[in-house]
Amino acid sequence: EEFFRESDPFIHVSTYGGADLGCPVVLEVINITTEPGFLENVNKVADIFKTEFEKLKAKHPEILVSLRQLGLFMGIEMVNEHCGMVLALTGYKNGLLAVPAYNDKRVCQLLPPLITTEDQAHEIVECVDKSLADAKVMLGL
């Protein structure tokens, strides 16, 4: 109870931790994600994000520094500590769910599901593009 009153509700520690039902679920997730061919789509979609973020970096140099990426686990690094929260807000307004990284407030986390399609990846990039433009206005950049 004390945890919920005083902690930040955006902090997420574990999807499967401490749940009896979570144990068989995580085993099935491991089975699915280790099937031959599963990572082909993940790698293909991750490459789309890598390529498209280079274009976004050229389009939005006032705010976008880099994309930190390990597959589809991504962090959008920006120019100052206000950017992570602002991008989360502008993203939400543009249909994008992104979460500020509390260990580095310049970063906003982008974590699409591993089953994201190529078309969905392009749609997400469009939302990020609009959200970065809106964030620049909001931050006066």
Side-chain angles (χ1 to χ4, degrees), residues 10-73:
F10 291 106
I11 293 176
H12 176 75
V13 178
S14 175
T15 299
Y16 304 107
D20 293 338
L21 182 58
C23 292
V25 171
V26 76
L27 288 174
E28 186 59 23
V29 168
I30 291 169
N31 288 336
I32 292 168
T33 58
T34 57
E35 287 178 6
F38 179 83
L39 288 180
E40 286 178 30
N41 181 66
V42 172
N43 291 331
K44 190 182 306 181
V45 172
D47 286 344
I48 290 170
F49 282 109
K50 182 178 181 179
T51 300
E52 294 301 315
F53 264 84
E54 284 303 314
K55 295 174 188 174
L56 289 178
K57 187 177 172 186
K59 186 175 180 179
H60 301 285
E62 309 86 355
I63 190 169
L64 185 56
V65 173
S66 70
L67 179 68
R68 299 176 183 179
Q69 183 180 25
L70 181 60
L72 295 182
F73 183 67

Side-chain angles (χ1 to χ4, degrees), residues 75-127:
I76 303 168
E77 181 183 353
M78 293 163 286
V79 294
N80 67 49
E81 69 279 355
H82 304 291
C83 293
M85 187 61 79
V86 170
L87 186 63
L89 175 63
T90 60
Y92 180 78
K93 291 180 177 181
N94 286 297
L96 178 72
L97 179 60
V99 180
Y102 288 97
N103 63 333
D104 185 346
K105 295 182 180 187
R106 299 171 304 140
V107 175
C108 198
Q109 300 172 69
L110 183 60
L111 309 165
L114 297 178
I115 58 171
T116 300
T117 65
E118 293 178 46
D119 289 341
Q120 290 169 331
H122 288 290
E123 184 179 338
I124 291 167
V125 170
E126 287 177 27
C127 289

Side-chain angles (χ1 to χ4, degrees), residues 60 63 87 90 128-138:
H60 301 285
I63 190 169
L87 186 63
T90 60
V128 172
D129 185 15
K130 292 175 190 172
S131 302
L132 286 168
D134 292 347
K136 287 190 304 190
V137 171
M138 187 177 276

